[in-house]
Amino acid sequence: MRRSRMGLLSLGVTVVLLASSACSLGETASSDQGNDKVEVFSWWTGEGEEEGLEALIDDFTTKNPGIEFINATVSGGAGSNAKQVLSTRLDSNDPPDSYQAHAGLELTGDIQQDRLEDLNALYDREGWRNKIPKGLLEAITVDGRIYSVPVNIHRANLLWYNPKVLANVGIGEPPTTWNEFLTQTSVLKAEGITPIAVGPLWTQKQLLETILLGELGAERYTGLWNGQTDWRSPQVIKALTTAARVFGSSDVKNSSGDWQSSMDRTIAGEAAYTIMGDWAYGYNLRKSLKYQTDFAVVHSPGAKGIYDFLSDSFTLPKGAPHPKAAEKWLIECGSVDGQDVFNPQKGSIPARTDVDQTKYTGYLAEAMAEWQDPATEIVGSLTHGVTVSVELNDALDAILKKFVEDSDPDGFATSFMTAYAATR
Ligand code: GAL
């Protein structure tokens, strides 16, 4: 295992919990009932991600012709609406057969509440343990148990732009640091171009995440979420000050729509840049845009060689009406075939290491090479569930909302520390 993968451990993604004993997946799977349909809950309705999901469903139904697939998607980027719907369903003991969740601390609440089946037996049967990078396995393991099946690896710290727009205003290259970005803003504004497009709160959080990463580096960034980095330190306050300036140059005050609108404004040249994960690659391809001609992407400023990762995974909730069919769905998600039909459309790379690499071209080939490069430093995404619990992420929403209005770095740092202490 590469050192950088092992480094995931230091993200604090492995937590120790006392999971209660429950009927094992093996017992559930031995039942003959409940194999005629499967309801799968996700938030993949946008262009690119919808086609990825459909490809996975097609492969699943070809292999499991007797199982009716119920596609329970709820639209809204990053699960902004889906998560509330899911939480209501789980609270009222009405779980879907499988639901989408991110690898990392996002699932700890559900695990603590004993809502998920332990999938260890399934991992053993399918031989998945040595097909998934060790660091990713650690991110989905809690107290020796695995509760989800990862279908991909996404990268969150990416800066998207239209090369023609930059060329038109005489900007040769996208910025390599946030300070460089800020020096470009006057040229852009003079041309009537918004320096950076941003959308709803979760996209603002992803922008903040990449600024903190770029300004602080991998180690200090990771320390923000595991208690090792002092939020009151001059470096963090300076990074937050930079963030306030970046937000000030954005269209946050009057933007509308989800992440796709920010991307559209960037491609159209109304904005110069937008920060988004690589699901945007799948989206842009579906729009028939040409990579490197109509759109291009680089790592976010200040984060060369750093891969801010997240992973979509699927679960088996306790009390799922069709557990045996759900297990078949999880097998599909964890399979080479499933990952190879899903990821090229979705704009992600596979979680498995033994896939058909020729299926990943353009940006995806570059992403795969960087993910596999031993020199790459891996950190976990804040916005997409890797580094903090749902509780802390929710508290952060209110803190960020205020920060975007008042641009007060000290206030942000103090409020975050309070929320951090309260949710430990
Ligand atoms: C993320 C998810 C991605 C993509 C994105 C935009 O949270 O992991 O797969 O769906 O939201 O909706």
Side-chain angles (χ1 to χ4, degrees):
M1 199 66 244
R2 290 179 293 277
R3 188 174 48 78
S4 50
R5 300 293 175 280
M6 293 295 284
L8 273 175
L9 250 188
S10 64
L11 298 175
V13 290
T14 304
V15 290
V16 177
L17 293 170
L18 287 173
S20 66
S21 65
C23 90
S24 76
L25 181 66
E27 284 168 62
T28 309
S30 67
S31 156
D32 276 327
Q33 292 167 357
N35 202 20
D36 57 340
K37 50 175 83 102
V38 64
E39 186 197 16
V40 174
F41 188 96
S42 81
W43 58 83
W44 291 330
T45 60
E47 281 165 278
E49 40 195 30
E50 186 177 27
E51 285 75 15
L53 178 59
E54 268 165 15
L56 193 58
I57 297 170
D58 279 354
D59 195 51
F60 171 78
T61 44
T62 304
K63 289 179 177 147
N64 299 281
I67 302 178
E68 179 196 348
F69 190 93
I70 302 164
N71 188 3
T73 47
V74 175
S75 65
S80 39
N81 303 319
K83 285 176 180 171
Q84 284 154 30
V85 175
L86 178 67
S87 144
T88 307
R89 287 190 61 172
L90 295 180
D91 285 350
S92 50
N93 289 323
D94 174 31
D97 294 308
S98 182
Y99 64 85
Q100 176 189 353
H102 292 117
L105 294 188
E106 184 173 290
L107 270 180
T108 50
D110 288 351
I111 296 167
Q112 274 160 335
Q113 290 178 63
D114 198 18
R115 284 178 159 169
L116 292 173
E117 294 287 0
D118 164 12
L119 303 176
N120 267 355
L122 183 63
Y123 269 73
D124 289 340
R125 275 207 310 279
E126 295 299 313
W128 284 337
R129 284 177 209 279
N130 58 3
K131 303 290 190 241
I132 296 175
K134 191 162 176 263
L136 179 56
L137 264 187
E138 284 163 357
I140 53 174
T141 301
V142 176
D143 197 20
R145 296 180 171 92
I146 302 181
Y147 294 92
S148 66
V149 178
V151 69
N152 67 2
I153 300 291
H154 268 307
R155 186 174 189 180
N157 62 319
L158 294 169
L159 184 75
W160 301 84
Y161 62 100
N162 178 341
K164 289 175 234 162
V165 172
L166 294 196
N168 283 346
V169 296
I171 292 179
E173 297 293 333
T176 57
T177 64
W178 284 106
N179 268 338
E180 220 173 285
F181 165 81
L182 288 167
T183 61
Q184 290 184 2
T185 56
S186 46
V187 180
L188 293 164
K189 281 184 192 157
E191 297 286 340
I193 299 173
T194 302
I196 191 157
V198 71
L201 194 60
W202 73 267
T203 67
Q204 297 163 33
K205 196 187 276 180
Q206 192 168 331
L207 173 57
L208 174 77
E209 160 177 345
T210 61
I211 299 168
L212 292 172
L213 178 61
E215 292 293 282
L216 298 172
E219 201 177 328
R220 279 210 189 99
Y221 165 84
T222 297
L224 292 171
W225 321 120
N226 67 17
Q228 298 296 303
T229 297
D230 178 3
W231 275 82
R232 309 276 326 158
S233 64
Q235 294 92 339
V236 176
I237 298 299
K238 186 163 168 276
L240 288 169
T241 306
T242 303
R245 292 183 64 203
V246 175
F247 276 111
S249 78
S250 78
D251 54 5
V252 66
K253 296 255 154 70
N254 48 21
S255 75
S256 59
D258 212 317
W259 64 270
Q260 292 95 338
S261 322
S262 307
M263 182 56 65
D264 293 346
R265 291 201 293 284
T266 307
I267 300 298
E270 289 162 34
Y273 303 107
T274 193
I275 288 284
M276 197 32 61
D278 43 14
W279 43 91
Y281 183 69
Y283 173 76
N284 285 332
L285 291 188
R286 287 305 299 182
K287 295 248 158 196
S288 302
L289 298 170
K290 268 192 103 186
Y291 180 49
Q292 300 295 23
T293 308
D294 302 322
F295 74 99
V297 64
V298 284
H299 61 79
S300 58
K304 188 168 195 285
I306 307 177
Y307 209 106
D308 182 15
F309 102 100
L310 58 125
S311 171
D312 293 306
S313 68
F314 282 88
T315 58
L316 176 50
K318 287 194 171 165
H322 314 102
K324 205 171 166 190
E327 188 185 311
K328 295 257 168 53
W329 167 249
L330 296 180
I331 290 172
E332 173 67 26
C333 292
S335 69
V336 171
D337 286 357
Q339 300 205 357
D340 275 348
V341 293
F342 172 74
N343 287 302
Q345 307 246 27
K346 178 69 166 68
S348 40
I349 57 171
R352 288 183 72 122
T353 51
D354 57 343
V355 294
D356 178 359
Q357 305 229 357
T358 63
K359 292 200 154 49
Y360 301 86
T361 57
Y363 160 80
L364 293 178
E366 295 161 22
M368 208 173 226
E370 198 156 352
W371 171 251
Q372 291 169 354
D373 183 346
T376 298
E377 289 182 278
I378 311 284
V379 300
S381 171
L382 160 74
T383 312
H384 304 283
V386 183
T387 55
V388 304
S389 65
V390 171
E391 216 184 344
L392 182 53
N393 235 328
D394 286 352
L396 194 48
D397 283 350
I399 299 169
L400 177 59
K401 227 183 226 167
K402 186 164 178 294
F403 177 68
V404 169
E405 272 157 28
D406 68 13
S407 303
D408 174 11
D410 294 296
F412 187 107
T414 307
S415 302
F416 182 85
M417 284 164 63
T418 308
Y420 184 79
T423 54
R424 295 222 27 106

